[in-house]
Amino acid sequence: MNSLAIFCSGLALALLFCMGLSAAASAATHRRHQRRRPYATHPGSANQAEGPDTRP
């Protein structure tokens, strides 16, 4: 292999590494945002679907 082929293979390897790192970061961000939704307890959230609190 000549030096140009070695350089191009290193460039391709670096590109694949960056794509994998980006995908992992994106998945972590997506998972973090998905887990916050069920815990919303403010008025108007999905937790208020049962109706008003009628306990004494």
Side-chain angles (χ1 to χ4, degrees):
M1 292 179 69
N2 61 8
S3 61
L4 181 61
I6 293 171
F7 175 77
C8 288
S9 63
L11 195 62
L13 185 62
L15 179 65
L16 286 174
F17 176 77
C18 289
M19 286 175 55
L21 192 62
S22 174
S26 176
T29 302
H30 181 71
R31 172 177 258 168
R32 186 172 59 233
H33 286 296
Q34 288 288 34
R35 289 185 181 211
R36 287 186 182 181
R37 288 183 184 160
Y39 301 115
T41 57
H42 59 81
S45 69
N47 294 337
Q48 300 293 327
E50 294 96 24
D53 189 11
T54 58
R55 292 180 285 177

